Amino acid sequence: MECNKFYTITEVSKITNVNSVTLRAWQRRYGLINPKRNPKGHRVYDQSDINIIHQILNWLDKGVPIRKVKPLLLSDETLNHDVSNSNEDFTEVSTIIDLLLSMNRRKIQSYLNEVLKNYPYHIFYNQIFKKIQHKLKSGIIPNQEFLYDLFVNISVDIFKSIISSLNKQNTESVLIISFNYDYLHIYHDALTLANQGYYIDFLVCANANNLTLKAYLNANKITKVYCSHNVTLNQKQKNFISNLDNPGILLKKEDMMMGGNE
């Protein structure tokens, strides 16, 4: 990248895979970045800001909660710094568990929305979401089956809302197809792709054939397809996918910054 070049918040979001809402939160709430303003008052970022964002992401990937990152940025600590006990500081996990135990849907939804503003989705999924899933399957939490279903239900509602918002700014379309109704898995994949700049379309295609699907793709000017599944496909389903033979049309898991898979 060129020296002394400035980037808009949209450009930085694409470069770093951190959405604009989170970038603003890191500035306003945590003082982690300090972009300049152009003559119109819009935020502009230079290469040093982008470097700091990558440092923040590296610390988050290592399990450091967002509120603990600033002292590390200001110190001489390197990414080799021992953060083996940092998971104890992810209070978001215990707070969400406590809210689930209260069964107050509005409070749970409101808090989850705030957490998702503070963390890029792949960090949220790996460092918070999966740990809550694990705790809700541990056998030590009362009514855990009900609370797990409640957590999944609220999460899917929030993921839908975020995808709808991102679809207003994303352009290149991807059709997410699935052969089952595991909506949590489908929306996890969808939100991962939406955060990479794709406009998301869905189709649970238990009865679709290749000709019908290709007609749908052409009618809606969709150039990419992703198959979301967490079960083994049968031969008919495998044939369905392999027969989508347009070069480059199929996105694979290795093409995505999945942020962890179940």
Side-chain angles (χ1 to χ4, degrees), residues 42-218:
H42 299 148
R43 291 175 177 82
V44 289
Y45 301 76
D46 60 20
Q47 185 58 48
S48 65
D49 295 316
I50 293 171
N51 292 342
I52 291 171
I53 292 167
H54 285 303
Q55 290 179 48
I56 296 167
L57 289 171
N58 285 332
W59 283 118
L60 295 176
D61 276 326
K62 286 175 70 72
V64 177
I66 190 64
R67 70 184 185 283
K68 297 278 188 175
V69 169
K70 189 172 183 178
L72 295 171
L73 294 177
L74 296 175
S75 72
D76 294 326
E77 299 288 0
T78 69
L79 287 172
N80 294 322
H81 175 66
D82 182 14
V83 292
S84 57
N85 294 322
S86 64
N87 287 345
E88 297 175 5
D89 295 324
F90 259 94
T91 57
E92 291 91 347
V93 174
S94 58
T95 300
I96 292 169
I97 293 293
D98 288 342
L99 287 170
L100 285 167
L101 287 168
S102 77
M103 299 189 189
N104 188 316
R105 187 185 185 95
R106 288 186 179 180
K107 287 185 177 180
I108 299 165
Q109 190 157 353
S110 176
Y111 186 74
L112 274 173
N113 272 315
E114 287 304 307
V115 172
L116 277 159
K117 291 177 183 178
N118 293 336
Y119 293 96
Y121 176 68
H122 74 280
I123 301 289
F124 166 78
Y125 183 76
N126 282 328
Q127 301 292 353
I128 298 173
F129 189 92
K130 289 174 73 174
K131 292 174 183 177
I132 294 169
Q133 282 186 308
H134 177 73
K135 287 181 179 292
L136 290 175
K137 294 179 179 180
S138 65
I140 60 175
I141 295 177
N143 304 312
Q144 68 177 33
E145 290 183 1
F146 174 83
L147 296 181
Y148 180 82
D149 289 342
L150 177 62
F151 177 59
V152 168
N153 187 273
I154 293 173
S155 297
V156 168
D157 282 348
I158 292 173
F159 294 172
K160 285 181 182 178
S161 177
I162 296 173
I163 291 166
S164 177
S165 177
L166 290 173
N167 271 352
K168 294 175 182 177
Q169 64 190 50
N170 294 344
T171 52
E172 184 178 5
S173 295
V174 60
L175 176 66
I176 297 183
I177 60 175
S178 180
F179 300 103
N180 59 38
Y181 292 86
D182 184 347
Y183 287 112
L184 178 60
H185 189 85
I186 294 169
Y187 278 98
H188 162 61
D189 286 352
L191 189 49
T192 300
L193 284 167
N195 276 301
Q196 291 178 230
Y198 287 102
Y199 179 97
I200 304 299
D201 195 356
F202 294 97
L203 184 64
V204 177
C205 53
N207 300 308
N209 59 55
N210 288 104
L211 288 176
T212 304
L213 181 60
K214 288 179 181 179
Y216 181 85
L217 295 175
N218 290 332

